[in-house]
Amino acid sequence: MAGAPSPFGIDRIDEVIHGRLRLGVMAYLANAEIADFNELKAVLEVTQGNLSVQLRKLEEAAYVAIEKGYLGRKPRTQVRITPVGRKAFAAYLEALGKLIGPQG
């Protein structure tokens, strides 16, 4: 049946978060709340271009807010998880847990 929720639950996995790099950003920000762009780049071991593209996808979904400014004379980009993003990440983790089922 097209459009009907899957009893298996795979349809509840948020595709925006599910990408490996986007998942890493969300997991890091869920704990840190806010991070500098360079901090995320180092922690996730990715290129500046790749991180920029993935952050844009998260920003378009309103899961993160990107704040550009200066620290002294140096440009600074900070990424913050939004309340919408925190709720979506919690729902993602819950859906993943249900999909995997009890372990052990």
Side-chain angles (χ1 to χ4, degrees):
M1 239 196 271
S6 162
F8 183 56
I10 194 78
D11 59 321
R12 294 183 190 96
I13 299 297
D14 187 326
E15 289 294 325
V16 174
I17 294 174
H18 196 63
R20 182 186 66 82
L21 182 51
R22 293 186 302 271
L23 176 58
V25 168
M26 294 300 288
Y28 190 81
L29 292 177
N31 291 315
E33 190 75 29
I34 189 168
D36 286 339
F37 181 90
N38 288 329
E39 177 183 351
L40 285 173
K41 189 175 104 172
V43 167
L44 299 170
E45 299 178 340
V46 295
T47 65
Q48 181 172 329
N50 196 0
L51 182 56
S52 292
V53 168
Q54 302 308 319
L55 287 176
R56 196 170 309 118
K57 290 179 183 182
L58 290 169
E59 185 181 36
E60 287 169 359
Y63 291 173
V64 300
I66 298 173
E67 302 158 8
K68 295 183 181 268
Y70 288 89
L71 182 60
R73 292 178 177 243
K74 293 180 78 174
R76 182 181 191 183
T77 300
Q78 292 187 303
V79 184
R80 177 186 309 271
I81 192 167
T82 65
V84 170
R86 188 167 296 286
K87 184 176 178 180
F89 188 60
Y92 173 85
L93 293 177
E94 182 180 340
L96 195 58
K98 287 180 180 177
L99 184 65
I100 294 169
Q103 301 295 308

